[in-house]
Every structure is written in structure tokens, then in C-alpha cells.
Amino acid sequence: MKNKTLFPFLFLLCALLSFAPSRVAAAGGKPVIVGSKKFTESVVLGEIVKGVTQAAGVPAIHKRQFGGTRIIWRALKEGDIDAYVDYTGTLYHEDFAGQHITTMEGLRKKLSTYGVSMAPPLGFQNNYAIAMDPRRAKKLGIRTISDLRRHPELKLGFPSEFLNRKDGWPGMRAAYALPQTPVNIDQDLAYRGLVHGSVDAVVAYTTDAEIDYYHLALLKDDLHYFPIYKGVILYRTDLEKRAPAAVRNYKRLAGRIDTAAMAAMNRAVKIDRRSESAVAAGFLKKTFGMEVAARRKSWWTAFWRYTFAHLLLVLVSLSAAIAVSVPAGILAARHGRLGQVILGAAGVLQTMPSLALFVFMIPLFGIGRAPAIAALFLYSLLPIVRNTYAGLTGIPDGVLESAEALGLPERAKLWRIKLPMAAPTILAGIKTAAVINVGTATLAALIGAGGYGEPILAGIRLDDIGLIMTGAVPAAGMALLMQYGFELVETACVSKGLRLQRTG
Amino acid sequence: MKQAHANIFSLLNVSKRFGDKTVLKDFTLDILKDRTTVLLGPSGCGKSTILRLCLGLTAPTQGRVLFEGAPIAPGKGDAIRRKMGYVIQDGGLFPHMTARENVCIMARYLKWPREKMAARLDELREMTNFPQDGLSSYPAQLSGGQQQRVALMRALMLDPDVLLMDEPLGALDSIIRHRLQNDLKDIFSRLRKTVVMVTHDIGEAGFFGDKVVLMRGGAIEQAGRFADLVHKPANGFVREYIAAQRGVADVLENAG
Ligand SMILES: Nc1ncnc2c1ncn2[C@@H]1O[C@H](COP(=O)(O)OP(=O)(O)OP(=O)(O)O)[C@@H](O)[C@H]1O
Ligand SMILES: [Mg+2]
């Protein structure tokens, strides 16, 4: 019976969290929230959109590095963000795949059913292309994608998004009848793989900074397989009322960023290591004479922001997990069969890949902290439930029998005997949950919740080990501190009698 | 006079089954007030089960268990158990509490005033010959004999009418055991309480028991004064059980 109260509780908790500032901010005369995907070009474009929004006198926030096309589209659809830049090819072939939308007009109509509008194309095309080391391509006589058919031994390295989307590898293999089995490689690491020779061909985007930098050869798409990807600003239609000046500026951007300009901005960030906001501000100044303050935050400001966000995720989700799973463990220990159900349910949650769990929370809680906290909460349940159960069921029979024979009522027995005796095991479970939680919370950046995952993602994107360390080292430090903290709690809370007993 | 010899516990035609295993069958036993009754018998014959029935820790499958003439009502167990003290083989002490906390747990729960608690603790400590400085020790820091003294103090703290002891000396070596036997006997005679004690040891049964109940397989083989069991065994099992005890004397005799 009591387990039924658990799920409503969970739901209520997360529902409360979804009223976090980001949701509220989306309504009324609040800032415009611009999103971006987790690759450099998207982040630069996000900065540009934010810049022109601010130039129109509308406050704007840029939430960077959403984990994927589906996630950011959903965020726009649900109103968690107000605008971002997507590509026509992505919309045709992925978001609205199988719906036979082939024209810009058709696309506009489809988008309007979601309350979303599309500004005219920005000018550049970011199409797929297959890139190879030029010397190797020359030696093998490969100039077109069709030529790849003659070399089944070549190792192709593609990111999982390309491997999975219909307009990516599956369609390309069918169109060109290619024999290779590609390996999965992160897009940001692909060029390095190519240069070091661990892969022979990678998929590239025509605006990629590295094509020029590494002097790569692009294979001719001789069958015209790859669709055209024009950059377009998508925005929530209600912006036309909320911030008409900003929308006017989005339309002014039409045709102002050509492929070369986009590639140059990508290069400025990825190779010349300038910040996205500085590059975007430079572009806006040069093109429109707009003065936009580049985001110039000190290392410390950024560090504290990441730390605060990360700590918030961990502390809220962990406290909620403790509040739910200790009672659940007590329940499980008291009622044998129910116990198996509770432990089983928590176990299933734990087997779910953590990233999948984050994504599953989006339909329920939108984008940002709420779904991240919900996912971390679910992920922290098992170690605590299991250890509470183990701690309580491991108490010797003689002790329990003596307690009962003394005439100590059930409640008092729980508080004075059972929980203190199970405390070391329960604390060990909480400690495990905390350490897992701190590590897993780095994934929260993928769904717009910030934290140490933010510099890690940016570091992977920019191939910047230092930046990765900015996130990874404090995350490891936080995990160690948590562990140390719980050890202090243990010495303070666990009776000396139990420690004596354990050491014999 | 009749009052003094009233039965404190009566087990009337009690059967106890665990699953399809019958532990006690149609078992009837009266336990006399203010006397020491010893339950004796081979391992698994149901001695501990009888104590648990008396404490209301388990309910009979059939038959009735009366305490002071009334059945132990479900839900009233806690109040009734506070009139009983229970000591088990390894003490069943709470490892996370000091000796003092173990002894005072119920008094503290019942919110006794501090002076009353301290006075009672002192009284018990003297009675059980427990060292003053041992009160702040945890069970893990005490010897087996000291742990049993703490368990005894804990059982006696609320001044119960009955003391139920399940092989309280079973885990102790012979010197400590002997010393504690003497102390216990002393305490019993001083307190004039009803005592039910389970033991394996025939000598111990004779030493303590006003009445000795010899059991086998969930039934009574003979119940009565120890001397009667020795001199007038009811059957072959009783004779054999008593004779199976090897004293120092017969070891020497056989060797010589
Ligand atoms: N909770 C239980 N579930 C199943 N069987 C039980 C349970 N409690 C006791 N038994 C069985 O009942 C029988 C009698 O147990 P009991 O503990 O009363 O024996 P005992 O006379 O005290 O034995 P010992 O001298 O070894 O302590 C044993 O066979 C035991 O296995
Ligand atoms: Mg027993």
C-alpha cells in the first residue's frame, strides 16, 4: 500500500522543480532564450542570434550545447527556448522525416503547426561531405564517393548521429552501394583520427574549419546524394508579439552569412581559439555595425557558475533520493515480497544507460535542471535502497528478539535500534550514490542544465584538453570531497560500538 | 498461601507448527509463581519456542498461552513484556550502545527521572557484580561473562515479575560460568522472582531448578523435582539423559 505514495511523491517533486526560473522566464516580457547544439558552429550562431536580439533592445540568454537535434527541437516546441539555428536538411530529413515535405513553403506550414516560425536562410550551406587525406586519396585514385566502392578495406569513421540518421550513412551506403562497415567516432575527434591515420575517411561539413586547416580533400558527391543544409533561424512565433524588434533583426540576417564567412568564424574559434562570443561580436560589428558586448567572463566567474550549477544538481537530486530511498529500503526490509519489487524497480533504473535516462526525462519535465535532477534522482535510488535494505536485514536475530522482548514498540525499535545499527551500511550507500551522482551530473549539460559538463563538452568540441580539465578535475574533486564529507558524517553519526565490533 | 503458588504462565494444549514442521504438540505446562522452572532437553526439542510463546513473541498454532490467567492479547504484547525480563545465550546486547545505555533503554523510553534511573542502575550493578567503569564500555569491549551481566541488568531494570533465560550461560567458559551460576542463584533467592531457564546442562538444571521439565521432540518426558528425575526416572529416556552427563568423578573412575 505505502509504495503507492512513492510515485506521486516523485512526480510532485519533479513537477515543482520544473517551475524553476527557466520555465517562468519563457513567459511574458522575460528574456529571449536562445539555444544551440553541441558543435561550434551552432554555438557561434547562437551567440549571433543572442547578439541581434540584444541589439534590438531585448534581453537574451544563450543556453549552449544541447545534446542533440531531437532535444533542442523539443525544447523549442515546448517553449523551453525561444530560438535557435537549424538546417533545412535536418528539418526535411530528420525532424519531419517521412512527411514528404520538400519545399520551404511546406516547411513553414509544418513549423507553424508547432507555433514555430522560420526566418529566411542565413546564406551559408553546411552540407555533408566525405573528407580524406589528399595524398592518400591521390595514391588510391579516389576522387568521388563512388570511387570508395573499389576500396572495401578503407576504414570510415562517422559520428553516431551520422550513422543513425536516414539522410546519413544508411542512405549513403544504399545510394552508392558501399561495402565498408564504418566505425563510430566522435565528430570532434574525427579529423585527428584522419591526420593520425587511424581512419581513412570521415564525414565533414562544408563549413568546417579543419578542411582548410588540414588541406583535406573532399570527395565529389557524384550521385548528388547529400541534401542541402541551409542555416535558418527558427523562433517561436509569439516572439513577433513579445519582441518584434528582435524578429526584424533575425530577418535582417538573411543572406548575410555565406559559407566562407561561416567557415572563417568556425576557424576563428576552433583553430585560433577565440571565444564564440568574441567571434560573433566581431561579425555583427563588421556586418551591421552593431556593438555587442562579447561575453568576457573571468575564469573564476565561469568556474563558480559551473560549480554552483553542478552542486545544485547533485545536492537537490541526492537529498530527494535519500528522502525517498531510505523509507523505501525500510519498507522493503519489512515486507518481503514488496521488498523484492522495490529492489527490482530500483535495479532496472540503474541498468538504464545514464544518457538515455536523461533524455527520457525531457518529455516529462522539459529542458534544463528539472529533467537532469529527475534523472540523477532516479539514478541515485538503487545504492541507497539496496544498502538500507541490506543494513536492516543484516541485523542479528538475537538483537531484534531482545528488543522486542523488552517491549520496545515498532517505531522506537526502528529509531533506537535498527536505523543506528544499519547506519554504516546506509551511509556507505549514500556515499556511493553521491559519487555516481557527481560523475553522472556531467551529462546534464547535454540537456541544458549546465554544470561541469559544460566545459567538458566545450573542450571536446574545441579539442581543448585544458578546457576538458576545467570540468573534469573539479568534478573529480567534488566526488572526493563528497566521499570525505560522508566519512566525517560517519565518524560523527555511527556509534563507536559498531566500529569496535567491525574491527573485531 | 494459594496465591503464592498460582501459575504465572499456563500453556494449555499448545501446538506450534512452522510450515509442516510440528515443534510442539498438545503441550500442557504450568509455570509456578516465584519458583525457578528449568527446561531441559536435547537440541531442537522446542525449549526456546516455549520461552517465545510465553513472551508472546510467537503465537501458538493451537491451544492457549495464559499469563497471569489471561491470554496475551495481540497488540498488548509490549505492555506485558515489560513485566518480563529476557536474557538469551549471547546476551543480544545492542552493539551501538554502551552497557549503561543497554541497561537503561526501556527506562529512558519510559522517561524515568534521572535520579531514579541512576539509583536503579547502581543497585543492579552491585547485585550483578558489574564493575562501575564497565558501564561506559560498548559490548565489543566486554568479556562474555560481563556481557551476560549487562543482559541480566537490562532484563531486570524494570523490576519484572518474571525472568526468562535462554541458555544464559551457554557461551561461557567453566570458571566464569561457575562464578555466574553462584551469582545468579544468589540474585534469584534475593529477588524471589519467577524464573524460567533453559539449559543443556543437567548439573545447572539441578542447581537452579525448583522444578525441572525434561523434554523430547516437543513433548514432556518428565516434570518434577530434580531428585525425582534422578531417583525415579519415568522412563528409559529420562534415565539415559541423566546418565549421559559425565562428571569429573566418573571420568576418573573409568580411567582408574
Ligand atoms: N521461526 C522458525 N521457523 C521454522 N522452524 C523453526 C523456527 N523456530 C524454531 N524452529 C524449529 O523448531 C524446532 C525447535 O526449536 P527451538 O529453538 O525451540 O529448539 P531448542 O529446544 O531451543 O533447541 P536448542 O537447544 O538447539 O536451542 C527446531 O527444529 C527449529 O528448527
Ligand atoms: Mg534454543
Side-chain angles (χ1 to χ4, degrees):
Chain A
M1 279 307 285
K2 276 190 180 169
N3 70 323
K4 283 191 183 159
T5 59
L6 223 140
F7 279 94
F9 176 77
L10 197 167
F11 197 82
L12 195 75
L13 180 93
C14 298
L16 281 174
L17 288 167
S18 26
F19 284 103
S22 69
R23 273 274 166 118
V24 179
K30 301 280 162 42
V32 167
I33 300 170
V34 180
S36 60
K37 303 190 201 183
K38 65 169 184 115
F39 52 89
T40 297
E41 182 169 298
S42 190
V43 177
V44 172
L45 290 167
E47 282 296 301
I48 290 178
V49 175
K50 176 184 155 193
V52 298
T53 309
Q54 288 173 332
V58 180
I61 295 169
H62 180 191
K63 287 199 158 188
R64 298 168 169 228
Q65 313 186 127
F66 279 85
T69 294
R70 294 285 160 119
I71 296 177
I72 196 166
W73 164 242
R74 173 152 228 145
L76 183 70
K77 210 170 65 175
E78 304 291 332
D80 290 314
I81 60 172
D82 296 309
Y84 78 100
V85 175
D86 211 333
Y87 301 88
T88 51
T90 311
L91 294 166
Y92 288 135
H93 303 287
E94 194 173 349
D95 290 312
F96 306 127
Q99 300 188 23
H100 307 291
I101 297 169
T102 47
T103 62
M104 290 293 266
E105 226 13 75
L107 204 51
R108 278 218 168 80
K109 208 175 275 166
K110 184 75 200 169
L111 288 168
S112 70
T113 63
Y114 297 104
V116 170
S117 295
M118 178 170 73
L122 296 167
F124 68 94
Q125 287 188 10
N126 187 0
N127 301 339
Y128 277 128
I130 302 299
M132 283 187 73
D133 179 85
R135 277 155 305 180
R136 188 149 168 76
K138 199 163 185 181
K139 206 170 95 193
L140 297 173
I142 298 177
R143 286 180 28 242
T144 66
I145 297 179
S146 293
D147 293 338
L148 288 174
R149 211 178 308 136
R150 288 182 284 108
H151 295 278
E153 77 285 359
L154 289 183
K155 209 157 157 202
L156 313 182
F158 298 143
S160 54
E161 188 168 4
F162 184 75
L163 283 172
N164 292 325
R165 52 199 289 171
K166 289 200 187 67
D167 60 342
W169 167 250
M172 173 183 160
R173 180 181 53 191
Y176 284 96
L178 295 177
Q180 292 88 349
T181 306
V183 294
N184 187 343
I185 182 170
D186 193 276
Q187 184 63 30
D188 296 309
L189 306 174
Y191 291 111
R192 286 223 270 172
L194 201 57
V195 171
H196 295 148
S198 58
V199 289
D200 299 308
V202 300
V203 64
Y205 296 100
T206 48
T207 54
D208 276 355
E210 291 88 344
I211 295 174
D212 183 49
Y213 181 76
Y214 291 120
H215 308 293
L216 299 180
L218 295 185
L219 306 189
K220 191 171 158 53
D221 182 14
D222 48 331
L223 298 183
H224 301 289
Y225 166 69
F226 286 127
I228 305 297
Y229 284 78
K230 293 179 184 168
V232 287
I233 300 177
L234 302 183
Y235 60 91
R236 294 199 55 79
T237 308
D238 65 359
L239 280 192
E240 283 167 7
K241 288 213 182 67
R242 269 173 58 202
V247 174
R248 270 198 300 281
N249 273 355
Y250 299 164
K251 291 179 177 161
R252 275 176 75 196
L253 277 169
R256 301 307 290 267
I257 311 175
D258 62 18
T259 305
M262 192 67 243
M265 286 194 277
N266 286 338
R267 185 179 167 145
V269 175
K270 290 201 81 162
I271 308 213
D272 306 335
R273 307 261 155 180
R274 295 176 54 208
S275 80
E276 293 92 347
S277 46
V279 170
F283 168 83
L284 291 176
K285 175 129 177 42
K286 200 175 75 193
T287 317
F288 298 106
M290 286 176 186
E291 288 292 349
V292 179
R295 194 170 77 156
R296 262 259 144 264
K297 281 188 183 147
S298 78
W299 189 87
W300 278 106
T301 320
F303 176 78
W304 286 122
R305 196 168 55 87
Y306 301 145
T307 305
F308 173 77
H310 206 89
L311 207 56
L312 188 76
L313 294 175
V314 170
L315 291 184
V316 174
S317 62
L318 190 66
S319 325
I322 295 170
V324 170
S325 35
V326 172
I330 293 172
L331 224 62
R334 191 173 298 170
H335 309 284
R337 211 167 307 154
L338 175 61
Q340 294 314 310
V341 174
I342 293 176
L343 290 175
V348 167
L349 285 173
Q350 199 75 15
T351 58
M352 220 176 299
S354 39
L355 186 55
L357 197 58
F358 276 97
V359 175
F360 287 157
M361 291 300 120
I362 294 174
L364 294 172
F365 305 111
I367 289 290
R369 280 183 185 148
I373 287 171
L376 291 171
F377 162 81
L378 291 174
Y379 226 54
S380 304
L381 291 177
L382 180 68
I384 309 177
V385 174
R386 195 180 42 200
N387 277 37
T388 305
Y389 176 84
L392 290 173
T393 50
I395 299 174
D397 289 340
V399 170
L400 292 179
E401 198 173 88
S402 296
E404 195 164 358
L406 281 168
L408 211 54
E410 197 54 47
R411 253 183 101 79
K413 223 162 66 178
L414 182 67
W415 284 102
R416 297 181 190 215
I417 312 292
K418 292 186 184 180
L419 286 178
M421 282 186 71
T425 321
I426 297 174
L427 275 172
I430 295 175
K431 197 159 65 177
T432 309
V435 171
I436 294 177
N437 194 313
V438 171
T440 312
T442 54
L443 292 175
L446 287 170
I447 57 172
Y452 290 134
E454 232 178 286
I456 295 177
L457 278 180
I460 295 173
R461 175 163 64 75
L462 300 171
D463 197 8
D464 182 340
I465 302 286
L467 203 50
I468 295 177
M469 290 302 180
T470 316
V473 171
M478 189 181 279
L480 285 175
L481 274 177
M482 287 268 171
Q483 188 146 1
Y484 179 69
F486 279 110
E487 262 146 40
L488 288 185
V489 172
E490 193 174 344
T491 17
C493 293
V494 171
S495 152
K496 186 178 158 213
L498 292 177
R499 269 173 285 137
L500 287 167
Q501 200 185 29
R502 266 188 292 170
T503 53
Chain B
M1 216 57 269
K2 197 147 203 319
Q3 184 73 358
H5 287 263
N7 299 328
I8 198 149
F9 289 112
S10 298
L11 288 86
L12 302 173
N13 307 99
V14 168
S15 294
K16 180 70 192 176
R17 279 190 292 276
F18 292 106
D20 51 6
K21 180 171 186 179
T22 303
V23 175
L24 294 175
K25 38 187 180 270
D26 203 22
F27 189 95
T28 297
L29 176 69
D30 290 326
I31 288 170
L32 294 177
K33 197 167 163 57
D34 297 343
R35 297 298 162 89
T36 298
T37 304
V38 173
L39 302 178
L40 187 65
S43 192
C45 70
K47 305 180 296 288
S48 300
T49 304
I50 291 172
L51 291 196
R52 289 196 193 104
L53 284 165
C54 291
L55 282 153
L57 295 176
T58 183
T61 316
Q62 266 161 26
R64 295 195 302 159
V65 179
L66 306 182
F67 172 65
E68 294 177 332
I72 299 175
K76 283 270 171 65
D78 285 342
I80 284 178
R81 279 177 217 135
R82 286 172 206 162
K83 296 185 184 178
M84 307 180 191
Y86 184 45
V87 179
I88 61 175
Q89 179 160 345
D90 56 6
L93 294 182
F94 306 128
H96 61 295
M97 295 181 175
T98 60
R100 180 184 287 106
E101 289 165 338
N102 262 283
V103 175
C104 296
I105 179 166
M106 282 312 290
R108 204 168 276 176
Y109 174 77
L110 298 170
K111 303 205 163 59
W112 278 23
R114 183 183 285 260
E115 311 77 57
K116 181 178 173 192
M117 196 145 67
R120 178 69 179 152
L121 183 62
D122 225 40
E123 193 180 348
L124 288 170
R125 196 185 53 70
E126 256 162 49
M127 192 192 298
T128 56
N129 275 321
F130 188 80
Q132 171 75 45
D133 56 5
L135 284 174
S136 307
S137 303
Y138 287 95
Q141 296 166 308
L142 298 173
S143 71
Q146 285 173 326
Q147 288 182 16
Q148 286 311 79
R149 288 174 203 268
V150 176
L152 185 64
M153 286 193 273
R154 185 176 69 182
L156 290 172
M157 185 71 184
L158 299 189
D159 196 18
D161 302 331
V162 200
L163 197 54
L164 299 142
M165 311 183 91
D166 197 344
E167 300 187 48
L169 309 175
L172 305 178
D173 68 69
S174 57
I175 291 180
I176 305 281
R177 187 180 177 121
H178 191 257
R179 210 178 282 161
L180 209 52
Q181 277 172 347
N182 287 333
D183 287 356
L184 272 179
K185 178 97 174 177
D186 195 41
I187 293 166
F188 293 169
S189 61
R190 235 195 306 165
L191 293 177
R192 304 202 128 274
K193 283 196 191 302
T194 310
V195 176
V196 186
M197 182 189 268
V198 168
T199 180
H200 269 120
D201 186 287
I202 294 159
E204 200 166 278
F207 182 65
F208 286 112
D210 297 316
K211 176 176 177 181
V212 176
V213 179
L214 177 56
M215 297 171 55
R216 175 168 65 155
I220 297 176
E221 293 289 334
Q222 187 171 357
R225 294 188 311 135
F226 183 68
D228 291 343
L229 268 73
V230 176
H231 299 300
K232 296 180 225 160
N235 55 39
F237 171 76
V238 177
R239 189 177 304 116
E240 194 186 351
Y241 194 87
I242 304 280
Q245 185 83 348
R246 224 183 288 284
V248 177
D250 30 77
V251 176
L252 287 176
E253 201 171 293
N254 285 347

